[in-house]
Amino acid sequence: MKLNLAVLPGDGIGPEIVNVALNVTKAVCKKFGHELTYQEALVGAIAIEKTGNPYPQETHDLCMKSDAVLFGAIGDPKYDNNPAAKVRPEQGLLKMRKDLGLYANIRPVATFPSLLHKSPLRAELVEGADFMCIRELTGGLYFGRPQGRAEDGNTAYDTCIYTREEVERILHLSYKFARQRNKKVTIVDKANVLATSRLWRQIGQEIAPQYPDVETEFMFVDNAAMRIIQWPKSFDVMVTENLFGDILTDEASVITGSLGMLPSASIGIHTSVFEPIHGSYPQAAGKDIANPLATVLSAALMFEYAFDLQEEGKLIRDAVTASMEAGVVTEDIACGGKAYKTSEVGEWLVKFVG
Ligand code: IPM
Ligand code: MG
């Protein structure tokens, strides 16, 4: 099969971890006889520095003609500490989501036995937890207009908007995933207060009977935030709107013990983007110490979701599990044992695959 990728390393540790994921991808392609072509492009703070634009047209054109996008991270403290900055790396991310039509952000939350002791929750609560958050990514408060400040500067407003089409699209996707998993969908909203949430709930009630084999549960977002830490094992597929999803996926990600392990896929109308959920970790940039496994697992999702190459995805997952069992891991998850460099972990994974 021909695989044509756009590679967007971005900022901070992005280039190092994407390099590892790309090497693993190359090794998998070689092993299974796939023809891999790829091209790199700028995004984030580095793109602002070089072009003045955090998501240059050139990068967008490349993404549009690629089969999938492998993405590192964006963000630079320089911009975080300057609220007056006119252009920010995050704007590039939002523009990419909108322009590529990345409507569903999928974050699988799975625990690794060897990391249970790192979870902020008691091991018996998290052991075996395995669910998937599906966050709507191109609607809601992030994109609703009007947004701004009244002329006197003392009043500000955002607008939350959802259309039937947007809600139906993501709910159907959630049921499809649930059918391949444990057949339960939890639709998270705030229907006791918000009009958009009531639309979500109404559409959920209409769609649920079309999937009689899947259990549907409705839950208010405040209750969901509580349940994620009280009983994470009760979830299978959780689906929610953009801002709720932003918050809940951060919460869900830490219960596994390491942010450095969690991949994500953003399913798009045109092309899909695969990226680790951790950020650009600027303090570690260039030190060869960042954990590359979330990005490597994102490459596994890429094989599975973008190319429907299940065996290839599984080989990558097996490699990651084996590296953890062998203790060939970076300092953030090296419990007492020797800590390996990012590049050393990468070399080990490539050898395992090959
Ligand atoms: C995320 C991030 C982004 C978001 C930021 C960087 C704009 O927090 O991908 O979850 O809020 O969507
Ligand atoms: Mg977030």
Side-chain angles (χ1 to χ4, degrees):
M1 185 169 175
K2 282 192 175 151
L3 279 62
N4 179 24
L5 306 185
V7 177
L8 274 46
D11 305 321
I13 56 170
E16 299 158 61
I17 53 178
V18 163
N19 186 41
V20 170
L22 191 58
N23 286 339
V24 173
T25 300
K26 284 181 195 165
V28 170
C29 285
K30 193 168 164 214
K31 172 149 186 154
F32 287 86
H34 301 304
E35 193 184 314
L36 175 71
T37 49
Y38 66 92
Q39 205 177 317
E40 281 195 21
L42 296 169
V43 71
I46 176 114
I48 298 178
E49 264 153 53
K50 298 211 166 145
T51 71
N53 181 346
Y55 183 59
Q57 185 64 38
E58 213 180 33
T59 302
H60 178 64
D61 293 342
L62 175 70
C63 292
M64 287 293 280
K65 65 173 197 202
S66 303
D67 302 323
V69 180
L70 192 59
F71 191 97
I74 61 150
D76 189 311
K78 200 163 86 190
Y79 297 91
D80 297 344
N81 302 327
N82 177 10
K86 287 243 154 20
V87 218
R88 317 176 64 81
E90 289 77 12
Q91 290 165 345
L93 187 63
L94 296 187
K95 186 152 175 29
M96 181 179 83
R97 288 175 182 169
K98 198 65 177 176
D99 292 355
L100 291 178
L102 305 176
Y103 68 91
N105 181 229
I106 296 176
R107 293 181 167 185
V109 178
T111 49
F112 293 86
S114 62
L115 288 182
L116 282 179
H117 67 284
K118 291 222 165 204
S119 172
L121 299 184
R122 288 198 308 279
E124 75 256 31
L125 282 178
V126 268
E127 193 171 9
D130 178 358
F131 62 100
M132 178 182 262
C133 296
I134 302 188
R135 164 189 176 191
E136 202 292 325
L137 204 57
T138 51
L141 279 165
Y142 275 63
F143 295 97
R145 295 293 180 267
Q147 176 186 67
R149 226 24 114 100
E151 237 161 72
D152 68 1
N154 294 325
T155 307
Y157 44 87
D158 297 284
T159 307
C160 190
I161 301 184
Y162 270 106
T163 63
R164 167 173 286 275
E165 192 200 355
E166 288 170 322
V167 179
E168 283 179 350
R169 178 173 63 183
I170 197 148
L171 290 184
H172 283 298
L173 184 78
S174 306
Y175 280 100
K176 281 185 194 124
F177 274 109
R179 277 193 163 156
Q180 293 160 19
R181 298 175 46 98
N182 293 317
K183 300 194 168 53
K184 181 174 172 190
V185 171
T186 305
I187 302 175
V188 174
D189 64 30
K190 189 73 185 171
N192 48 348
V193 177
L194 301 176
T196 40
S197 281
R198 284 192 281 275
L199 179 68
W200 273 73
R201 194 166 282 219
Q202 181 197 326
I203 295 173
Q205 284 162 346
E206 288 166 18
I207 286 180
Q210 297 171 28
Y211 300 88
D213 51 323
V214 178
E215 182 193 340
T216 301
E217 172 182 57
F218 293 94
M219 194 177 286
F220 293 140
V221 62
D222 44 354
N223 187 23
M226 199 170 73
R227 283 271 289 272
I228 286 173
I229 50 171
Q230 264 184 338
W231 193 18
K233 282 182 248 188
S234 71
F235 295 111
D236 180 30
V237 171
M238 173 191 289
V239 56
T240 191
E241 65 97 59
N242 204 344
L243 182 64
F244 297 163
D246 178 46
I247 299 165
L248 292 180
T249 53
D250 261 30
E251 185 193 3
S253 68
V254 294
I255 67 174
T256 64
S258 176
L259 204 54
M261 295 302 302
L262 295 177
S264 87
S266 294
I267 303 294
I269 300 170
H270 304 291
T271 179
S272 298
V273 175
F274 300 86
E275 62 177 310
I277 80 160
H278 58 69
S280 57
Y281 192 14
Q283 304 85 337
K287 294 194 180 146
D288 203 17
I289 55 169
N291 186 347
L293 295 182
T295 319
V296 172
L297 289 169
S298 301
L301 289 180
M302 176 179 80
F303 278 100
E304 292 160 355
Y305 295 173
F307 301 106
D308 197 18
L309 295 171
Q310 307 300 327
E311 240 184 285
E312 287 79 345
K314 182 170 182 304
L315 178 60
I316 296 180
R317 289 175 197 289
D318 289 347
V320 167
T321 307
S323 78
M324 291 172 76
E325 274 164 12
V328 184
V329 291
T330 44
E331 62 181 21
D332 55 312
I333 54 170
C335 25
K338 171 176 161 28
Y340 287 76
K341 298 277 179 201
T342 310
S343 53
E344 289 172 333
V345 174
E347 282 152 25
W348 195 93
L349 293 170
V350 164
K351 222 176 255 162
F352 183 96
V353 165

